[in-house]
Amino acid sequence: MSDLTGKVAIVTACSRGIGFAIVKKFVEDGATVYMAVRDSDKDINLTNKLHAENDHYRRVVYNAIDFSSYKPMVDEVVKDAGRIDVLVNNFGTTDIVHDLTLTTGDPEKFFAIIKENIGSVYYGARYVVEQMMKQKTGGSIVNISSVAGTTPDVSRLAYTTSKAAIDSLTRNIAVQYARQQIRCNAVLPGMVDTDAIKKLSKDFTETFLNNVPLGRFVEPEDIADAVAFLASDESRNITGELIPVCGGFGLPTPIYSDVISGKIKQN
């Protein structure tokens, strides 16, 4: 268990999946977490229910793709809690219909996805870093990127490009604010076992798993554990790192699955 006792954290886009697992882990480890969610009945009901059970769950309203909402979000947390120690930029989007290859994808969608994914990290980090510098107590920013940013794909050009840019942004923030003791790292999930996987074909998921050395999907809790470590003081000397949580996907030879299945003989 990472020790986040007394820390104030913001986690964006966190009403389900990876984000929700991060929120739960943070609260279990002692943090007060501001769940940055939309102004929707579903999200408000969820955060009200959680807060009633444990006041370490709190809500702050924002819109991930409305960049004008980021500063008011940060200001509201500071007004309520007095400081911010941790930011987790969890938002990410794509469009499986229009985010395709260079020649088959929609150019407008390409640039929209790029803007939304990079902007969500840029603006969240910008205003939180400004606050952390005022506090003079340092802090930790964790960006949720993807192994897609380091492994070229046969499609999803905008998504993969934006994640690669987020990796670079992570390292630049780490270097630019290290002297202020503000750390910035990224966690790179592989294929995570969420509702989205159920929409994929069985052939695809089986083939994918054959290329994962550990042979299993990543669970949201696996991501949450890594993020909690990076948010805690236990990782105080770790910054600018891109940490894959993907079961080893991308490490072996491209013929890995054929070799271990016996389709290809090595001798």
Side-chain angles (χ1 to χ4, degrees):
M1 178 180 288
S2 300
D3 186 4
L4 299 176
T5 303
K7 291 192 180 296
V8 176
I10 298 174
V11 181
T12 66
C14 58
S15 61
R16 56 192 175 88
I18 293 172
F20 190 52
I22 293 169
V23 168
K24 289 193 295 182
K25 174 65 175 172
F26 274 26
V27 171
E28 288 172 5
D29 290 355
T32 296
V33 183
Y34 287 82
M35 299 176 65
V37 295
R38 296 171 298 173
D39 186 14
S40 69
D41 290 342
K42 181 179 179 181
D43 287 350
I44 289 174
N45 289 338
L46 171 64
T47 50
N48 282 344
K49 178 178 180 294
L50 292 170
H51 182 71
E53 296 171 356
N54 186 334
D55 68 1
H56 281 214
Y57 291 100
R58 302 188 185 181
R59 177 179 68 242
V60 62
V61 172
Y62 93 127
N63 183 334
I65 61 175
D66 178 2
F67 301 141
S68 68
S69 70
Y70 281 73
K71 189 174 189 306
M73 172 188 73
V74 171
D75 290 345
E76 183 176 341
V77 173
V78 174
K79 181 178 179 181
D80 191 59
R83 70 182 195 281
I84 300 171
D85 302 304
V86 180
L87 168 67
V88 180
N89 285 311
N90 179 60
F91 175 79
T93 188
T94 187
D95 183 331
I96 61 173
V97 175
H98 300 102
D99 185 10
L100 304 173
T101 67
L102 178 67
T103 57
T104 62
D106 183 327
E108 289 187 8
K109 287 291 185 180
F110 174 86
F111 286 105
I113 292 166
I114 293 285
K115 180 179 179 180
E116 290 170 5
N117 284 348
I118 299 175
S120 69
V121 174
Y122 174 90
Y123 284 103
R126 179 186 178 101
Y127 298 124
V128 166
V129 165
E130 288 178 348
Q131 173 59 31
M132 287 177 173
M133 288 195 296
K134 290 178 184 177
Q135 296 167 192
K136 298 182 179 180
T137 55
S140 176
I141 296 171
V142 185
N143 299 323
I144 305 302
S145 183
S146 172
V147 292
T150 59
T151 307
D153 204 340
V154 296
S155 186
R156 302 191 306 161
L157 182 64
Y159 182 78
T160 57
T161 301
S162 67
K163 291 301 184 178
I166 287 169
D167 293 347
S168 179
L169 182 57
T170 296
R171 287 180 155 172
N172 276 276
I173 292 169
V175 169
Q176 291 171 9
Y177 299 98
R179 293 295 180 173
Q180 287 77 32
Q181 301 304 307
I182 298 170
R183 299 183 296 110
C184 188
N185 296 283
V187 171
L188 284 55
M191 187 174 286
V192 182
D193 191 5
T194 61
D195 291 340
I197 285 183
K198 298 177 177 62
K199 300 176 183 179
L200 301 174
S201 71
K202 185 178 179 181
D203 285 345
F204 179 85
T205 55
E206 287 182 352
T207 301
F208 187 93
L209 280 180
N210 285 340
N211 286 282
V212 176
L214 288 180
R216 59 179 180 266
F217 291 124
V218 178
E219 298 293 334
E221 291 74 19
D222 298 328
I223 308 301
D225 288 342
V227 173
F229 170 69
L230 292 172
S232 74
D233 293 338
E234 295 163 16
S235 62
R236 60 188 174 274
N237 268 319
I238 300 175
T239 195
E241 296 297 334
L242 312 176
I243 301 179
V245 181
C246 59
F249 177 78
L251 287 177
T253 169
I255 60 172
Y256 171 81
S257 63
D258 289 335
V259 172
I260 63 169
S261 68
K263 186 177 179 180
I264 295 177
K265 302 294 184 182
Q266 289 186 291
N267 50 42

